[in-house]
Amino acid sequence: MMNKICIIGVGLIGGSFAAGLKQANQVNTIVGFGRNESNLIKAQDLGVIDGYSLDIAQALTDVDMVLIATPVNSFEAVLEMIKPHVTEQMIISDVGSTKGSVVNIAKQVFGTMPDNFIPAHPIAGKEQSGVEAADANLFNNKRVIITPEESANTVSVETVSDLWESVGAKVEIMNTDKHDDLLAMTSHLPHMLAFSLMDYLVSSNPQACHYAAGGFKDFSRIASSDAVMWRDICINNPDQIVKHIEGYQARLENLANLIKNNQSEALEQLFSEAKTARDDWLKD
């Protein structure tokens, strides 16, 4: 059990982590930090945090861990801000969707990767954002990937793992390159498809959405996700995202050719294999 944790960026993910820890009775005090005082007041009124400060020195006083839950493009400024107040005993972690960029930014700010900086990424979320959407059970049975450097402090890695497990998550450890490639394929690419589908429909026929049924609603749901966050993800993981967009484009071109050439058996086989693969995945 920790005495005090600071959450920088008390939104959906940071707020849900805080709420989960409080529900699991894993921390005595959670303090929030941010630039928007009204949001911090709201988080406190909701019981997500115990208090807040607009002064980073005060917010980090006597904390055992600081969790950075802001957009990845803000990380350099955030790390520069907390750098003078970081102690050897203070664990630093984050919830960013790209990990290679986070490590590179940390090395740039600190000169080397601090051994008490343990990057993490919870693979969970909603299309809603903000502390109002925070959910103590958001991470139940969801994967959280931790990507510590080889020099990382073992106790810090274990502590971060234990905290995520205490809020119901299934923790895995992998290197940053593998994480960024896997997430570009399974998370970043689907979001790009949803955003681009909405862009295509609106630009082609603004009235088309009025005739869409449940399947379109399900497929396009994640296009309601936070635009700033996804802009930052694209900027911080461009090579992997573009690689998988181009790979998907090749599969679409193959599908278009099958349709164009009236290849009914090949189409049925493709659809059947895709259905089987998804059905098997849902059983896991």
Side-chain angles (χ1 to χ4, degrees), residues 33-54:
F33 174 85
R35 301 298 188 186
N36 187 334
E37 186 171 14
S38 62
N39 181 69
L40 293 169
I41 292 173
K42 188 181 299 179
Q44 184 174 269
D45 290 344
L46 290 170
V48 171
I49 57 176
D50 300 302
Y52 70 87
S53 177
L54 301 179

Side-chain angles (χ1 to χ4, degrees), residues 115-126:
D115 60 10
N116 55 336
F117 193 155
I118 313 300
H121 176 211
I123 306 177
K126 304 176 182 178

